Amino acid sequence: MSATSAPFGLRPVNHDSGCVLPVAGTIISAYGTTIYQNAPVKIGTSGGIELAAAGERAIGSFQGVEYTDSEGRRRVSNRWTASTAATDIIAYYTRNPGIVYEVQSNAALAVTDVGKQYDWGTATAGDGTTGLSSVVLDVASSAANAGLRLVGINPGPDNAFGDTYVNALVQIAEHQNVADIAAY
C-alpha cells in the first residue's frame, strides 16, 4: 500500500469520544464545483458547504449528499456533481475539530515529522467511478500554520514511516470553528 499512490481524500477514522458522526448541512443549488467524498470542505459565504482549496480553512470532510433532482426524483450520492440544479439538498460532512483523518501522503514522511503541519493537494481531483476524492497530504507544503497536523500514521500492514506513500493520520489544524494552533 505505501509503495502505491492510491489517494482517497480525508477519510475520518476516529475521535476521542469513540464516535465520528457526520452532520447535515446544505449545498446551494447549482453550486459549480464537484465535491468528491472525503474532500475537505468549508462553510462558504453563502452559508452552504463548499469545497475547501489548499490553503483555506476547512470545517471537515464531505461524506455525501441527497437531493431532489429537476425531475422530482430523490437522489443519494457520495459526491456532488458541479452545477446540479436541485431542491431539498442535504449535504453530510464531518465538523468536530477533534476528528482524526487518514490521508495518503504524496511523498515519504519520517517519525520526526509528527506534529508538523501540511496543506492538502488539489481538492478538485477525484475518481469519477468511485466518487472518492484524490486529495493527498502535500509533504512539500510544510509550514508552521497549514491546514493539517500530522499526528501519526495508520498502524496497518505495509505502512511505515519512510515509505513513498504513507497513510498518515492528521487533524484539521486550520479549522473554521477553532483558533489556529501553530505546529510544535
Side-chain angles (χ1 to χ4, degrees):
M1 177 68 103
S2 291
T4 304
S5 177
F8 43 80
L10 292 172
R11 181 169 49 207
V13 292
N14 69 42
H15 183 272
D16 287 344
S17 70
C19 295
V20 176
L21 300 174
V23 296
T26 192
I27 297 174
I28 303 304
S29 181
Y31 174 66
T33 304
T34 297
I35 309 174
Y36 292 95
Q37 184 177 16
N38 298 330
V41 291
K42 65 181 182 178
I43 304 293
T45 57
S46 66
I49 298 300
E50 297 177 2
L51 187 67
E56 291 187 314
R57 298 176 71 81
I59 191 87
S61 73
F62 185 75
Q63 297 303 298
V65 64
E66 60 181 276
Y67 58 89
T68 302
D69 69 14
S70 59
E71 296 175 354
R73 290 183 295 214
R74 195 71 181 155
R75 302 288 185 171
V76 177
S77 179
N78 67 339
R79 71 173 168 254
W80 170 262
T81 303
S83 305
T84 299
T87 58
D88 305 318
I89 303 166
I90 302 172
Y92 298 98
Y93 64 100
T94 58
R95 181 177 63 197
N96 191 307
I99 294 174
V100 174
Y101 299 87
E102 181 178 20
V103 61
Q104 191 173 59
S105 68
N106 63 358
L109 291 166
V111 69
T112 55
D113 293 328
V114 172
K116 291 183 180 177
Q117 291 177 252
Y118 304 89
D119 277 321
W120 50 86
T122 306
T124 56
D127 186 311
T129 302
T130 65
L132 292 178
S133 171
S134 294
V135 162
V136 295
L137 182 73
D138 184 6
V139 175
S141 70
S142 178
N145 283 318
L148 302 171
R149 178 177 300 104
L150 181 66
V151 297
I153 66 170
N154 186 331
D158 299 327
N159 191 49
F161 284 109
D163 288 344
T164 306
Y165 304 105
V166 177
N167 287 347
L169 298 176
V170 299
Q171 286 184 306
I172 296 175
E174 292 185 319
H175 196 280
Q176 280 187 300
N177 290 347
V178 180
D180 289 355
I181 300 172
Y184 34 90

